[in-house]
Amino acid sequence: MSEEKPINHLIPWTTRGKLLAIYAVVFEFLLMFVAPIVANVPHSIGGFPGLWVFTNIVGWTWIILGIATGYMKR
Amino acid sequence: MAIDVRQAVVLGCVVGYIALIFIIGGFGKWVRLKEKTLTDYFRPSKFAPFWAIWFAMGANMHTAFAIPGSMGFYYLHGVGFTVHFIWTVGTALIFMYLVGPRMHLLSAKYGHVTLSEMIGDFYKSKWLAAFVALFVSAANIAYFTANIIGPATLLSFGTGGLLPFDIAVWIIVIIVIGYTLPFGFRGVFYTDILQGAVMLLATWGSAIFMLSMFNWNTWALFSKAYEVAPKHLTLPGGAGWFTPQMWFSWAFFAITIHWGIQPRNYQYYQLAKSAEDVRKNALWIPIYLSAIYVPVVILGLATKVLMPTPPATGAWTGPDAAFPTVMAQYAPALLWGVLIAGSMAAGQSTLDSDLVAHSGMLVNDVYKALLKREASQAHYLAVGRIVVLILGILAGYISIYAAKLPIVTILVGMSGTFVMTLLPAVLGAILPMGKFRITKWGAFLGIVAGAIVGLVTTFPTMLGLPRWLLNPYGYHSALWTFLATWIVAILVSLVTPPPPQDSIERFHAFLDRELKALYPPAKAKA
């Protein structure tokens, strides 16, 4: 290895690595920035809060997609 | 003092749990050291099956906050606690996935015993390794005590005062010392598997019972909670904590990052048989981490319905006391006992790994590297056990002293923030960043700058500074700590000598070769 050719890989950059990185950005964005907006949606279904439903859907979807991608062909 | 049936059942559950702990972690040949060396005691490697790591590491990562802390948190704030997905999923699928396999490969190749040794090896600085060991150990002492105080309070409360708080503290500490002192991290690993199971049983068992009190109708529970405390079903929650700023800055910067790079996790990454197992664990462990918190919604909201205002008198008062008080009143004795054992498991499964991981850093990177360089393995092993004993007793002593101080709660938050300041040092060592390199001075001064900003934005009034510096502009102090750490680390790295070429070859080029061999890029395969 030399200074002229720096190593620049990340996961490394396999197809599933790219997908997982995209999930990380998208799902963290949904959890960190969209969820607080959802919290202000009126509770239209009895006592069930939109925030609780939304974060659970996002969280568990991310988990399932992560596992599925982790086992796919590279 | 006469013991009633309920107290006897609770004590029986606790004794049963302790007996199981010692059957699994105190006698078998599986926990015995394979070699009487510092490495085998602090960092045994490549023997644990994937499923067992998944279970044990999940228990290790969840602290006493899981039981009973999270129930009190839900009771106080409401459904905003589903913010946990930011860290129960994000930590694993971002940080553990990235750093775990790399730390495993490097330790297997170069024999690093601790996280701080790995950092010191890359930056060619024993002083930096020693500084990291001392800094993180000092910072995490609060974490030690939090994992004792919560379960000890519940144990004392659950036995109706039969076991005073002080005695409960020493029971919890002595059990942990009992299996970590002789067997090191092997004792930690095997007992964590059991503790992980007990934690799941306690949280899910309690939730099923609570739901039975609402005729198995989750809808009715939520509706009733909405009547009693409508703020609990939205943001900023019952206590106004979850503002949009605090929502993401607390969950991500104060928890997600440090959770992935804690020294205790470094030891766990080495137990796996391969880097691929570490990677798979990162994919699967969010299920355990999140599943512990799934039933908490039922526990927190049901408690809010059954006891709208927290207990103001009695042996335990305040929001944290509400859930235990309800369970003490309504739950069958056996379930109540399992819950108390589950709380002990939650605290002890983190305390044990913390004790061994931090003792390992102090012995390996301070005592062995700087104070007594040429001694036998038997000597280092003996010193290691003495340090485990001292840290355990110290944590017990502080827990009793600090139990009445609210500052402990704040310090627990600070410890994670302090560990987060290691991120540039860690990523600089294991993650190539093109031509840019984190330097020894960048890593060191980044930690220092982060620690100072963390203190200033958490304890401004105690330092004689203006109050507005507390979580400035509504953002958690961890965000400001993160920014200070990285800005200083990057700026200093730009003007100080980079790590030697030898380090780049041994770390970055080595990882590049190993990872590309394990996971060939798509175009290379084609």
Side-chain angles (χ1 to χ4, degrees), chain A residues 2-74:
Chain A
S2 69
E3 283 296 327
E4 290 73 33
K5 288 184 178 179
I7 302 160
N8 208 13
H9 67 250
L10 185 59
I11 288 185
W13 222 221
T14 56
T15 305
R16 69 184 182 193
K18 288 176 188 170
L19 274 175
L20 286 166
I22 291 168
Y23 296 159
V25 172
V26 171
F27 283 87
E28 275 290 310
F29 176 80
L30 290 173
L31 286 170
M32 288 170 68
F33 301 107
V34 179
I37 297 169
V38 173
N40 292 321
V41 174
H43 314 295
S44 54
I45 322 169
F48 254 89
L51 176 73
W52 186 82
V53 173
F54 180 82
T55 47
N56 269 284
I57 289 173
V58 173
W60 290 105
T61 306
W62 189 9
I63 291 171
I64 292 164
L65 284 177
I67 293 170
T69 306
Y71 281 87
M72 69 183 254
K73 288 178 72 177
R74 295 160 202 142

Side-chain angles (χ1 to χ4, degrees), chain A residues 1-4 6-17 20 24 28 31-33 35-36 39-41 43 45-52 55-56 59-60 62-63 66-67 69-71 73-74, chain B residues 74 79-80 82 85-86 89-90 93-94 97-98 102 219 222-223 226 233-235 247-248 252 279-280 283-284 286-287 290 294 297 431-432 434-435 437 501 504-505 508-509 512 515 518-522:
Chain A
M1 195 240 123
S2 69
E3 283 296 327
E4 290 73 33
I7 302 160
N8 208 13
H9 67 250
L10 185 59
I11 288 185
W13 222 221
T14 56
T15 305
R16 69 184 182 193
L20 286 166
E28 275 290 310
L31 286 170
M32 288 170 68
F33 301 107
N40 292 321
V41 174
H43 314 295
I45 322 169
F48 254 89
L51 176 73
W52 186 82
T55 47
N56 269 284
W60 290 105
W62 189 9
I63 291 171
I67 293 170
T69 306
Y71 281 87
K73 288 178 72 177
R74 295 160 202 142
Chain B
Y74 223 116
V79 296
T82 47
F85 279 110
I86 288 180
V89 186
L93 291 183
I94 298 175
Y97 190 89
L98 199 60
R102 291 160 189 271
W219 192 297
F222 270 86
S223 299
Y226 188 52
L233 297 187
T234 185
L235 296 184
W247 170 272
F248 87 92
F252 187 78
R279 193 187 71 87
K280 278 198 306 188
L283 294 173
W284 284 94
I287 292 180
S290 301
V294 168
V297 59
L431 192 69
K435 290 184 178 177
R437 307 265 156 77
Q501 191 58 30
I504 303 299
E505 178 62 36
H508 294 181
D512 192 47
L515 290 170
L518 283 171
Y519 315 115

Side-chain angles (χ1 to χ4, degrees), chain B residues 444-500:
Chain B
F444 172 68
L445 291 174
I447 293 170
V448 173
I452 292 171
V453 170
L455 281 170
V456 165
T457 53
T458 309
F459 300 114
T461 51
M462 288 175 67
L463 298 172
L465 297 166
R467 187 172 171 74
W468 69 266
L469 285 167
L470 175 66
N471 300 326
Y473 305 107
Y475 293 96
H476 195 276
S477 67
L479 170 66
W480 305 103
T481 305
F482 178 88
L483 292 174
T485 301
W486 275 98
I487 289 170
V488 170
I490 290 170
L491 290 179
V492 172
S493 295
L494 289 172
V495 296
T496 49

Side-chain angles (χ1 to χ4, degrees), chain B residues 109-355:
Chain B
K109 174 74 173 175
Y110 302 118
H112 304 140
V113 177
T114 63
L115 176 69
S116 41
E117 184 183 4
M118 184 198 80
I119 292 172
D121 187 19
F122 178 77
Y123 296 102
K124 298 289 180 213
S125 172
K126 290 186 175 180
W127 288 104
L128 182 61
F131 169 76
V132 168
L134 290 166
F135 173 74
V136 174
S137 297
N140 270 342
I141 283 287
Y143 232 83
F144 289 18
T145 59
N147 286 312
I148 300 169
I149 292 169
T153 306
L154 192 56
L155 179 57
S156 177
F157 180 75
T159 56
L162 200 64
L163 297 174
F165 175 78
D166 296 8
I167 301 295
V169 164
W170 290 120
I171 287 174
I172 287 166
V173 171
I174 288 168
I175 291 167
V176 169
I177 290 175
Y179 61 80
T180 53
L181 190 71
F183 307 119
F185 215 81
R186 285 179 198 274
V188 169
F189 167 65
Y190 286 105
T191 51
D192 279 3
I193 298 172
L194 172 70
Q195 286 157 339
V198 175
M199 287 163 65
L200 276 180
L201 188 65
T203 51
W204 282 89
S206 300
I208 289 168
F209 165 72
M210 280 285 202
L211 204 53
S212 74
M213 297 182 69
F214 289 84
N215 296 320
W216 308 101
N217 189 336
T218 315
W219 192 297
L221 168 61
F222 270 86
S223 299
K224 192 72 183 168
Y226 188 52
E227 282 175 30
V228 172
K231 287 182 179 176
H232 274 55
L233 297 187
T234 185
L235 296 184
W241 162 261
F242 279 117
T243 60
Q245 298 95 317
M246 197 57 83
W247 170 272
F248 87 92
S249 61
W250 173 68
F252 187 78
F253 293 99
I255 303 178
T256 305
I257 300 171
H258 87 78
W259 229 28
I261 60 171
Q262 278 285 353
R264 61 179 186 268
N265 284 11
Y266 180 89
Q267 314 305 108
Y268 257 103
Y269 294 141
Q270 315 313 330
L271 298 183
K273 290 178 179 173
S274 68
E276 174 64 6
D277 272 4
V278 180
R279 193 187 71 87
K280 278 198 306 188
N281 184 54
L283 294 173
W284 284 94
I285 205 167
I287 292 180
Y288 184 94
L289 299 177
S290 301
I292 283 285
Y293 286 147
V294 168
V296 177
V297 59
I298 295 168
L299 301 176
L301 292 185
T303 303
K304 190 69 188 173
V305 170
L306 295 167
M307 183 177 278
T309 54
T313 58
W316 194 0
T317 59
D320 284 343
F323 169 67
T325 303
V326 166
M327 288 297 282
Q329 190 174 344
Y330 295 106
L334 186 62
L335 177 62
W336 180 220
V338 169
L339 181 70
I340 290 163
S343 172
M344 292 173 70
Q348 288 175 321
S349 58
T350 307
L351 177 66
D352 56 12
S353 48
D354 262 344
L355 258 185

